[in-house]
Amino acid sequence: MKKQIVESLGTFRLFLVELRRRLAYAGAMFRMRFIQLAVNTHVALPDDFVFDEKKAASRGRKAPDGKHYSAAYELEWDALPLAIQREIRKFDSVIRLYFGGDYLIHTANVWRNVGIPDQYRELDIYSQVWHYDHVVDYRNIQLFVLLSDTTEHHGPFEYVGNASETEASSDVVARNGAELPDAEVVRLVGKRGDGLLFSTGSTPHRAGIPLHGNHRDMFSIAFFPAYTGLGASAKALFAEMKSA
């Protein structure tokens, strides 16, 4: 009996050592962030696929003046242009490799951001401060597609291009509006239909703020690992495309 107790204690100690090692590794990986995914693309959008003001509802937080500066609406898979469905299927192997297996496709969003008064720029109104998208965990991806020609004057989507070389920022986690002085900022500017497949959970990003009189229209759709339960099976949706 004594021998069994000693052996059990020894096994437990080994378990604790291995647990500490794994936790230390996980902590180091979090500080380094995770593999960054940023793939530019272009989708030949149909002419009638544009932001529909009649469908849109206020999005984000109210500013102190009581106004919303963003509006959005959702689209189910069947309502998406075939060009976007095919674009997503084209990235199927990339998304599977990133997640390490099966994944789900969430409901899509179409939104419009307009300029924010200068006194509110540092407030987190429509995600225009640096942040990570931690919905369940860091493992999520989005496909963004511009719905109109977009320049720096239209408040383009921005992300940190050198995120894999830097440690996680507490300011980004807190979404407190702080700037990142060492960040290599990349902006999604270009023509209507230009897009970006992007790791929103592991890379700091934010919405740009349009200059007064301008706005930015964008389409986005999110992808999550199967264990999250967020969305519909990619396999099932692609199978429906083949049978259609």
Side-chain angles (χ1 to χ4, degrees):
M1 177 63 74
K2 184 177 180 180
K3 181 180 179 181
Q4 291 176 335
I5 292 174
V6 171
E7 290 177 348
S8 296
L9 288 173
T11 301
F12 183 66
R13 290 192 187 97
L14 290 175
F15 167 77
L16 289 177
V17 170
E18 178 64 13
L19 179 62
R20 283 196 294 268
R21 186 188 71 79
R22 289 178 178 269
L23 288 174
Y25 176 77
M29 287 298 294
F30 180 80
R31 288 191 299 272
M32 292 175 63
R33 302 313 303 161
F34 298 88
I35 296 173
Q36 181 173 323
L37 180 68
V39 182
N40 291 98
T41 188
H42 182 84
V43 183
L45 298 173
D47 292 340
D48 61 352
F49 188 64
V50 294
F51 179 82
D52 188 341
E53 294 184 43
K54 295 179 181 178
K55 295 180 180 178
S58 296
R59 166 184 172 269
R61 296 176 175 86
K62 281 185 180 180
D65 60 7
K67 297 180 181 179
H68 283 92
Y69 289 87
S70 184
Y73 56 92
E74 294 184 343
L75 290 177
E76 298 296 333
W77 176 263
D78 291 341
L80 300 184
L82 185 58
I84 287 182
Q85 293 183 357
R86 288 173 174 166
E87 186 71 14
I88 293 169
R89 187 169 63 181
K90 184 183 79 174
F91 281 120
D92 179 58
S93 59
V94 175
I95 298 172
R96 284 185 186 281
L97 284 172
Y98 189 86
F99 287 148
D102 292 339
Y103 65 96
L104 305 177
I105 301 178
H106 202 259
T107 305
N109 288 279
V110 180
W111 74 75
R112 170 174 289 178
N113 290 348
V114 299
I116 300 172
D118 289 342
Q119 63 267 36
Y120 306 144
R121 293 175 69 90
E122 294 183 2
L123 302 179
D124 190 2
I125 293 176
Y126 53 55
S127 297
Q128 85 284 358
V129 301
W130 292 115
H131 64 283
Y132 304 108
D133 286 356
H134 285 178
V135 181
V136 173
D137 52 29
Y138 73 93
R139 301 179 74 197
N140 50 77
I141 297 172
Q142 288 199 54
L143 173 65
F144 298 101
V145 181
L146 300 178
L147 296 185
S148 56
D149 293 354
T150 302
T151 70
E152 294 191 5
H153 298 312
H154 296 93
F157 175 86
E158 301 180 348
Y159 68 92
V160 176
N162 60 334
S164 60
E165 303 169 10
T166 58
E167 293 187 356
S169 166
S170 58
D171 288 324
V172 176
V173 174
R175 301 175 69 120
N176 61 15
E179 291 296 322
L180 301 178
D182 298 324
E184 295 177 4
V185 179
V186 182
R187 297 176 176 86
L188 178 54
V189 296
K191 298 293 185 181
R192 169 178 158 84
D194 286 348
L196 178 71
L197 184 70
F198 180 73
S199 49
T200 49
S202 62
T203 308
H205 60 282
R206 65 183 179 184
I209 301 175
L211 294 183
H212 181 71
N214 290 329
H215 63 264
R216 187 205 64 187
D217 293 346
M218 181 95 87
F219 166 87
S220 73
I221 189 165
F223 311 98
F224 298 95
Y227 63 77
T228 64
L230 298 174
S233 165
K235 280 185 178 180
L237 294 178
F238 294 154
E240 291 175 4
M241 288 177 61
K242 292 177 182 178
S243 62

